[in-house]
Amino acid sequence: MTAHSQVVLALDTATPHLTLALRWKDGKVASSREVGRAHAEQLPAATRELFAQSGLPFRADLLVIGTGPGSYTGVRVGASYALGLGRVWGAGVRGVPTLEGLVRGDGRQGVSLDARKGNVYGAVYEVSGGAVESVRHAPQKFSLEEFQALLGPLPHHSDLAPDGLALLEAGLRHGQERWALAYL
């Protein structure tokens, strides 16, 4: 089965947003909504709604999970749900950093999430086709000033709702089968 004939589900619960995306042979759909800390309560129904909206049976061939950094509980909720669905469906689960879902457009750009006390978790990526093509500076914790100095004139996307389709595409391009969760 080729990547384009697969049904692929992406999800991220590392930020205050519940981000989902679904791609199949004839289409794609994504949603992201702010849920605060209610990921566990809203994730199952939101995922079923996405499949229903797409007219697809509740089953994917591959799952992509945003691995953080993010809140301890939020990251674990998404990972547990994805691993559970993967086991039930006999589907692989690939991980990519949540920061890859913050990219917008194309070109070299920086993305970051607030890590409190004047710090950010940031990365610099080369983006093509709306998804990370290569990593210029791997995700790590910086002071905001250090990260801004590293970026110079590059575009900087900070604390946005993750884009589920960017996350999904990154998972197809270079998602890891062996991944670890990262926390803020």
Side-chain angles (χ1 to χ4, degrees):
M1 185 177 306
T2 68
H4 289 293
S5 65
Q6 291 182 320
V7 175
V8 182
L9 170 66
L11 63 101
D12 190 286
T13 57
T15 73
H17 297 87
L18 171 55
T19 299
L20 298 166
L22 190 59
R23 192 184 87 183
W24 65 101
K25 181 181 177 185
D26 298 321
K28 58 188 172 184
V29 64
S31 72
S32 189
R33 63 181 182 227
E34 190 165 345
V35 298
R37 295 179 180 218
H39 296 98
E41 294 85 356
Q42 296 189 27
L43 179 57
T47 305
R48 285 193 177 274
E49 286 171 21
L50 197 68
F51 276 89
Q53 176 184 346
S54 303
L56 296 172
F58 189 61
R59 187 187 186 297
D61 302 298
L62 177 67
L63 292 99
V64 176
I65 178 73
T67 59
S71 78
Y72 181 81
T73 303
V75 171
R76 293 177 93 62
V77 163
S80 298
Y81 188 70
L83 289 169
L85 287 179
R87 179 164 287 208
V88 168
W89 292 340
V93 180
R94 295 184 188 170
V96 295
T98 295
L99 292 172
E100 294 197 28
L102 303 183
V103 300
R104 300 294 190 265
D106 288 334
R108 190 171 294 178
Q109 56 192 266
V111 296
S112 67
L113 290 171
D114 181 19
R116 299 181 194 87
K117 298 183 181 181
N119 296 305
V120 297
Y121 273 96
V124 179
Y125 297 120
E126 193 68 45
V127 180
S128 173
V132 171
E133 186 68 30
S134 64
V135 178
R136 296 297 180 190
H137 292 280
Q140 69 181 62
K141 191 173 185 179
F142 296 91
S143 74
L144 180 57
E145 295 79 24
E146 289 173 327
F147 190 61
Q148 289 173 332
L150 173 71
L151 289 176
L154 293 177
H156 178 202
H157 308 293
S158 178
D159 296 312
L160 301 173
D163 178 340
L165 292 172
L167 196 72
L168 187 149
E169 184 62 32
L172 290 172
R173 291 184 188 185
H174 56 262
Q176 301 294 308
E177 305 242 344
R178 302 185 96 201
W179 42 269
L181 301 176
Y183 308 104
L184 288 174

